[in-house]
Amino acid sequence: MSRLDLAQDRFRAALKALEYAGGTVGESLDQAAKLPERIAELESERDKLLARIAELEDEVSTLSGLTEEVEGRLDGAIGEIRAVLAR
């Protein structure tokens, strides 16, 4: 194999490597172009989840108040039943 053939082979290999690198750069640029849209989607989802968390916190607060009321009523009823049974 002559020096020219060796140089041609090395040149072809370098071109293939360059083409591959160019292809991956193009794919990366395509993905990077989609990032702002994806970020907006994630921010929207985050806002929805935060709103749902706020709703659930309100429900917990309401249920906690009801639980305390039921507990108070049950304690009163148990007290009355004990008083009646003690007679």
Side-chain angles (χ1 to χ4, degrees), residues 14-45:
L15 277 178
K16 285 182 183 178
L18 183 61
E19 288 172 351
Y20 175 77
T24 58
V25 168
E27 291 170 8
S28 296
L29 289 174
D30 289 343
Q31 290 175 354
K34 296 175 184 175
L35 287 178
E37 180 180 326
R38 181 66 177 142
I39 289 171
E41 289 173 3
L42 291 172
E43 287 174 343
S44 174
E45 183 178 352

Side-chain angles (χ1 to χ4, degrees), residues 26-82:
E27 291 170 8
S28 296
L29 289 174
D30 289 343
Q31 290 175 354
K34 296 175 184 175
L35 287 178
E37 180 180 326
R38 181 66 177 142
I39 289 171
E41 289 173 3
L42 291 172
E43 287 174 343
S44 174
E45 183 178 352
R46 181 196 62 201
D47 292 341
K48 289 176 185 176
L49 290 172
L50 287 172
R52 181 64 179 140
I53 288 171
E55 290 173 7
L56 291 173
E57 286 173 343
D58 288 343
E59 286 181 30
V60 166
S61 178
T62 301
L63 289 174
S64 178
L66 290 173
T67 302
E68 288 177 15
E69 182 180 340
V70 168
E71 181 183 1
R73 288 183 179 187
L74 283 174
D75 285 343
I78 290 170
E80 289 177 17
I81 290 170
R82 284 186 179 157

